[in-house]
Amino acid sequence: MLCKNCKIAIDSTDNYCKNCGGKIVKKRLTIQNLFEHFSSQFLNYDNLFLQTFISLFTKPDDVIGGYIDGVRKKYINPISYFALAITLAGFQIYIIKTFFPEGFDLSNITIEGQEEFANSYFSFIQDYQSLILPLFVPAYALMSKIVFYNYKKYNYTEHLVTFLYILSQITIVMLLPVIAFTALGYTYGDFTFLTIIFQIAYSAYCLKKVFALSMKKLLLKTLLFFVVFSILYVLVIILFIAIMIVVYGGLEGFVEAFGGANQ
């Protein structure tokens, strides 16, 4: 008898492979054992997902710092956690677009006359979220590396790990509240401010724990983070507009193309 995962010979009485540690599945796949597998992976208190999710609130320094220091079995690794977050975010967007499409509206927080462009741009972001969200990780890691220039504790890759966990947690936490708000008739424009406040507060909380910052240092680093973010944001917007001018022959062409696609 061979292990179905690593193809190494095993005994018929084995429950787990001695080589790869994989569970030996002897039953045929049914709805019942499919649900049991899902429950054991995601709903039990002892599973890695719940442990990671809860600990990223109660002790993010243990999750992030632990992984960086070599603790790799206690929590879900950052790439898997981020992949799960992107997958769940895709379901969230599908649900909102299918049942509450009016929720994707930024008109009430947009400069008058720019509503169509803002909504087209936002729709573009949502459609390609699985490709765009991963780009935020290296960007935030770069900002973090700059902000903590005088801290030699972590290198750039370790800052990447930090924000893989932080952005994943923010994405997962916001899934149900965003669906609930849109189901109640609110739009993204109505609660965008609240989501931004949560993102800033949670990120600051995690960085405070990871870098053991005092409140004074946390405030100074947060202010510096805003300065760095503002500079990079302006540069990205300029680059994006330049690309749109080339691709669509001007900003009006971009608005017309995406606006028409969403009508």
Side-chain angles (χ1 to χ4, degrees):
M1 182 177 179
L2 298 179
C3 170
K4 296 178 181 178
N5 296 301
C6 66
K7 308 303 180 183
I8 297 296
I10 56 175
D11 296 330
S12 59
T13 56
D14 289 340
N15 291 318
Y16 293 89
C17 175
K18 298 174 183 177
N19 180 60
C20 69
K23 184 177 180 180
I24 307 302
V25 179
K26 301 175 182 178
K27 298 179 181 179
R28 292 193 63 179
L29 190 63
T30 64
I31 295 297
Q32 180 180 349
N33 58 42
L34 182 64
F35 181 75
E36 288 174 353
H37 176 72
F38 173 81
S39 299
S40 65
Q41 291 293 311
F42 295 102
L43 301 181
N44 289 342
Y45 179 79
D46 292 333
N47 80 75
L48 292 183
F49 171 73
L50 274 182
Q51 287 188 28
T52 305
F53 181 79
I54 293 172
S55 295
L56 278 170
F57 277 121
T58 58
K59 44 185 178 180
D61 49 323
D62 188 55
V63 180
I64 298 170
Y67 184 85
I68 291 173
D69 290 338
V71 180
R72 304 293 161 84
K73 293 292 185 180
K74 191 175 181 181
Y75 302 108
I76 295 178
N77 74 74
I79 294 178
S80 296
Y81 201 57
F82 188 70
L84 175 63
I86 290 179
T87 301
L88 294 175
F91 282 116
Q92 177 205 60
I93 292 172
Y94 172 78
I95 290 172
I96 294 174
K97 280 199 168 186
T98 302
F99 301 102
F100 319 108
E102 62 282 357
F104 290 117
D105 186 13
L106 299 179
S107 298
N108 58 343
I109 59 170
T110 305
I111 299 174
E112 186 176 353
Q114 297 297 316
E115 295 87 355
E116 185 178 358
F117 171 74
N119 287 330
S120 298
Y121 175 76
F122 186 58
S123 179
F124 174 82
I125 295 296
Q126 298 302 318
D127 288 342
Y128 294 93
Q129 179 174 260
S130 61
L131 298 177
I132 295 174
L133 191 57
L135 299 179
F136 281 91
V137 179
Y140 279 118
L142 175 61
M143 287 187 282
S144 180
K145 184 64 177 173
I146 294 173
V147 169
F148 291 94
Y149 68 94
N150 57 333
Y151 285 70
K152 306 304 180 183
K153 184 177 181 180
Y154 295 144
N155 60 33
Y156 177 71
T157 301
E158 290 163 341
H159 281 274
L160 280 175
V161 168
T162 300
F163 277 92
L164 277 170
Y165 275 122
I166 290 176
L167 293 181
S168 298
Q169 186 77 347
I170 290 172
T171 301
I172 293 172
V173 169
M174 294 306 301
L175 291 172
L176 293 180
V178 168
I179 293 175
F181 274 123
T182 53
L184 291 172
Y186 295 98
T187 67
Y188 265 77
D190 294 324
F191 53 81
T192 293
F193 181 73
L194 294 177
T195 61
I196 292 175
I197 292 298
F198 170 70
Q199 291 174 25
I200 294 173
Y202 179 72
S203 298
Y205 164 70
C206 288
L207 293 174
K208 181 182 186 300
K209 290 286 189 178
V210 170
F211 289 95
L213 301 174
S214 65
M215 284 304 299
K216 180 180 179 180
K217 288 184 178 179
L218 176 63
L219 291 174
L220 290 174
K221 292 299 183 183
T222 300
L223 179 61
L224 181 56
F225 218 104
F226 274 116
V227 172
V228 175
F229 174 82
S230 299
I231 294 172
L232 292 180
Y233 181 78
V234 171
L235 292 176
V236 170
I237 291 297
I238 292 174
L239 178 62
F240 177 79
I241 292 176
I243 293 174
M244 291 304 101
I245 290 175
V246 173
V247 174
Y248 294 98
L251 206 54
E252 292 183 1
F254 169 72
V255 173
E256 181 179 352
F258 282 88
N262 291 300
Q263 290 177 355

